[in-house]
Amino acid sequence: MGLLDYVTATSLDEDYAHVSRQQTGDAAERRTGRAGVAAMVALGLFGVLVATAAVQTSRNAGADERGREELVSQIRARSAQLDARRAQVDDLRTEIDGLQSDYLSATSQGRSLSDRMNRLGVLTGASAVTGPGVRVVVDDAPNATSAKQQVLDKDLQKLVNGLWESGAEAIAINGHRLTNLSAIRHAGSAITVNYVSLKRPYEVEAIGDPDSMPARFVETEHGAEWLDLQSLYGLQLEMTSEESLRLPAATRVALRNATTRRTP
């Protein structure tokens, strides 16, 4: 090795080199220590955030539960008030009917008017009615896979019209009395009667002569169409004669009147 190269290579004393290496290691250790402290601080802050979020969530859950319980309590209170109002309305209606009956029965003219009102109440659906008749239960075909195998609104319309033609005096579907203004229609996925959705199977009660109505129904055009629905698509229909049926009064009765226009 040349002199210049030797001086260059050994210009740093071994003691100085040792001290330099020691200082370098200390610096690395300090950097490692600072990184560890920073990591611990970050973990601590994360833990505080998690704890704060948990406490806040617990508080919110408690508030939501209290709010739900208060809402349920209000609904129950309002339902109780509504039931009380309905009971009061029923009592008033009973009292009015009693007073009206007493007033009309006092005179012959009143009794005649009362009989006429009773007849009109039965025909219009404004009055409840009791008597013999037939009960018809219809339903979809077993394991129905298409609309043709399901009872549609037009099928119930055919059934009701056939019963009217057979001599029915009053009809109700699933407990809903039919009037001249009743509509049987599809609304969404359900059939509605008097704007109330029905569930299958559909039970149709008709007051009339239980001995003649079944045979007369089959002879009608709508009865024949229902026989086709049974044989072609598997729709179910079961008609039974009943000695006593009670049909409720219609809940929505609109009074309408008309006058004959006189020509000069």
Side-chain angles (χ1 to χ4, degrees):
M1 178 181 298
L3 179 60
L4 182 59
D5 294 335
Y6 176 78
V7 171
T8 302
T10 61
S11 60
L12 186 62
D13 187 82
E14 292 183 1
D15 294 335
Y16 286 106
H18 175 72
V19 172
S20 177
R21 287 194 298 270
Q22 186 177 6
Q23 291 177 349
T24 302
D26 294 342
E29 291 179 359
R30 286 195 298 271
R31 286 196 297 271
T32 303
R34 286 196 297 270
V37 172
M40 293 298 294
V41 171
L43 288 175
L45 291 175
F46 180 74
V48 171
L49 291 175
V50 170
T52 302
V55 171
Q56 188 64 35
T57 301
S58 177
R59 291 178 178 176
N60 292 339
D64 293 342
E65 181 65 21
R66 289 192 297 272
R68 190 187 70 83
E69 291 177 356
E70 182 178 356
L71 181 59
V72 170
S73 177
Q74 292 179 2
I75 292 175
R76 290 175 177 172
R78 296 294 186 274
S79 298
Q81 291 179 359
L82 180 60
D83 292 340
R85 295 289 190 276
R86 286 175 175 171
Q88 184 178 5
V89 169
D90 292 339
D91 292 341
L92 291 175
R93 284 177 177 172
T94 301
E95 184 179 356
I96 291 172
D97 291 341
L99 293 174
Q100 177 177 280
S101 178
D102 294 341
Y103 176 76
L104 293 177
S105 62
T107 62
S108 58
Q109 184 178 3
R111 289 190 292 272
S112 176
L113 180 59
S114 178
D115 293 339
R116 183 184 178 191
M117 290 176 60
N118 290 334
R119 291 194 301 271
L120 291 176
V122 172
L123 295 176
T124 60
S127 301
V129 60
T130 303
V134 295
R135 176 180 287 110
V136 186
V137 180
V138 296
D139 200 356
D140 300 345
N143 302 320
T145 57
S146 66
K148 292 183 178 180
Q149 296 176 306
Q150 298 175 347
V151 178
L152 306 178
D153 53 349
K154 60 182 180 180
D155 300 327
L156 282 182
Q157 293 171 9
K158 294 175 183 178
L159 176 60
V160 168
N161 289 334
L163 291 173
W164 287 126
E165 294 178 27
S166 304
E169 301 175 6
I171 298 177
I173 302 179
N174 285 21
H176 299 279
R177 182 74 172 276
L178 298 184
T179 69
N180 293 335
L181 302 178
S182 294
I184 304 173
R185 66 182 69 178
H186 259 296
S189 59
I191 298 177
T192 64
V193 172
N194 296 334
Y195 306 101
V196 179
S197 298
L198 305 182
K199 293 182 179 180
R200 42 178 291 266
Y202 307 103
E203 185 177 88
V204 182
E205 296 176 317
I207 288 184
D209 186 352
D211 296 328
S212 63
M213 285 183 64
R216 295 178 64 181
F217 173 76
V218 175
E219 294 174 354
T220 65
E221 177 183 355
H222 299 297
E225 290 178 349
W226 252 99
L227 292 179
D228 292 338
L229 292 175
Q230 284 183 284
S231 60
L232 295 177
Y233 304 111
L235 267 62
Q236 304 177 67
L237 181 147
E238 182 181 357
M239 180 180 296
T240 57
S241 299
E242 302 290 339
E243 294 182 359
S244 179
L245 294 173
R246 187 184 187 282
L247 275 57
T251 55
R252 298 183 181 184
V253 179
L255 297 180
R256 298 184 180 183
N257 56 66
T259 57
T260 303
R261 182 178 179 180
R262 295 182 178 179
T263 58

